Structure formats: C-alpha cells, structure tokens
Amino acid sequence: MAFGTEELRVLRRALALALHPRPASAEDVQDCLRLAESLDEAMREGARLRAFLVADLGRYRAALPGTAAGYLTLLEEALAAGYRPQPDDLAALRALRGNPVAALLLERCQVLAEQDVRARLARGATRTAPVTVPASRTRLTALPGGLSAHPGPGTTAPVADVGQDPASKPEKKPAQKPAPEPAPAAPKPARPIPTPGEVFPRRKPTPPPPANPPQQLAAV
C-alpha cells in the first residue's frame, strides 16, 4: 500500500495531533476522516484481489503440469498480495523443482510455511501453558488438624508454644455422648379398670324341682 503526497501530508498532521494534543480544526478532522475511509477501501480492495488470485491459483494448480508457467506467475502475485502458501502449493512446487522459477518459489514458500508453523506453536504453547506445582506441595500428606506427616524440602514444621513442653499438654478426651433419656412411664389411671365379671355379672341358675316330690303324710 502506497500513500500519495496529499495522503502523507494528512497522515503527518494526524500524527502531530496524536503526539501533541490540541484543538483540531474542522479541515483537519475532515482530512483525517477521508484518509481513514481511503484506507478502509484499500484494505477491502486488497482482500477482494487476494480472493480472486487464490481462486485463480487453485484452477491453475489443478491443471498442472500443463499450466506451470501461468501457475508460477499467479503464485508470485498472490504471495505479493499477502497469500500464505498451502501444502498443495508446496507439493506442486516440489513436482516442478526442475524449473528455476519453481525452485526459487519453493525456497520462499518453505520459509513462509516454517514461519507459520512456529507462530501456531507459539500460540498453542501460550494457550496451554502447564501449571507448575512446587515439589514441596506435591509431597504433603494432609492429616487431621492441617499438619503434615512428612514435610518435604522447603516446608517448615509447626512451631510449638514458647515455654510449654509439648509432652505436658493434656490429652483431649473424646466428647462423651449424652445418655439416652428414659421413655416416659404410662400415666396411672385415676380409678381401677373394672373387670368383665364386674361389668357383666352372671346370674346363678335356679336348681330344677325334684322328679317325685315326697308326699306329706296326713296326720292320723
């Protein structure tokens, strides 16, 4: 992308305003806006040209080796427009390495491909950087109370209270569970419960009369 004389003059004024802030005139503002619009249009035009060259380059590459001359010319134009070589381009250039132009383009494309690989690896290493844990923390064994049975290198043992013997500390007795409360006794009735015999008394049966009652002797 090349700037003309007028565009360079506007760019210089814009840089001066950025370095030394001061009230800008309406003319300076309009010139900066026009320059920004021209840059956006140039970038869009460059993207359209690059897309056209890539599509044309694919058609010439598919028709190799008969279109070697046109393919090499289009590849040079695409590289100048910011195109990055693909694996298919490298394979095609290796097949055409007998051509001096193809050999030079192969060296140039290999350098660009290596740069792209290094950039992708650097981005991947930045994203998936492993979290390193200190060696002293990996050998800690957690115990009740937060102490460590085997402190690793770089760790310090807990410091005892000054003037107090650790052996003289009374041992803490385990908390005793409260005894279960006895179940409440059933309330005694206010009056005794009557028996079935008292509620439903049985009548004594009447004895039957004798079969031959004795006759009373008449008085003589």
Side-chain angles (χ1 to χ4, degrees):
M1 184 180 299
F3 290 99
T5 305
E6 187 62 28
E7 293 172 343
L8 289 175
R9 191 176 294 112
V10 175
L11 182 60
R12 182 179 178 180
R13 292 204 305 268
L15 291 176
L17 290 173
L19 294 175
H20 305 285
R22 57 180 176 81
S25 61
E27 183 181 359
D28 291 339
V29 173
Q30 292 298 327
D31 291 342
C32 290
L33 290 177
R34 282 194 294 269
L35 179 60
E37 292 176 358
S38 300
L39 289 175
D40 293 340
E41 181 61 27
M43 292 178 65
R44 288 192 293 267
E45 185 65 25
R48 287 193 293 267
L49 177 61
R50 189 161 48 250
F52 172 78
L53 289 176
V54 169
D56 210 7
L57 185 66
R59 289 191 292 268
Y60 273 76
R61 185 174 56 236
L64 288 175
T67 57
Y71 170 73
L72 296 176
T73 303
L74 284 175
L75 183 57
E76 287 181 346
E77 295 179 3
L79 293 176
Y83 172 73
R84 310 301 289 186
Q86 303 298 318
D88 294 340
D89 297 317
L90 296 176
L93 292 175
R94 291 190 185 98
L96 299 173
R97 67 178 57 187
N99 189 320
V101 178
L104 294 175
L105 284 176
L106 178 59
E107 294 179 1
R108 180 180 175 184
C109 291
Q110 284 177 345
V111 172
L112 294 176
E114 290 177 1
Q115 292 177 356
D116 293 343
V117 170
R118 291 194 187 98
R120 285 195 298 268
L121 291 177
R123 288 194 298 268
T126 304
R127 292 176 183 174
T128 61
V131 179
T132 58
V133 180
S136 59
R137 296 186 184 180
T138 58
R139 286 193 286 269
L140 289 179
T141 304
L143 296 176
L147 299 181
S148 176
H150 303 285
T155 59
T156 57
V159 180
D161 295 339
V162 178
Q164 187 176 4
D165 188 3
S168 63
K169 292 183 179 180
E171 296 182 357
K172 293 183 180 180
K173 296 181 180 180
Q176 297 181 356
K177 296 182 179 179
E181 298 181 359
K188 295 182 179 181
R191 54 184 298 181
I193 300 174
T195 61
E198 295 176 352
V199 177
F200 304 101
R202 297 179 63 184
R203 296 180 180 180
K204 296 182 180 180
T206 304
N212 296 318
Q215 299 180 359
Q216 296 182 354
L217 297 178
V220 177

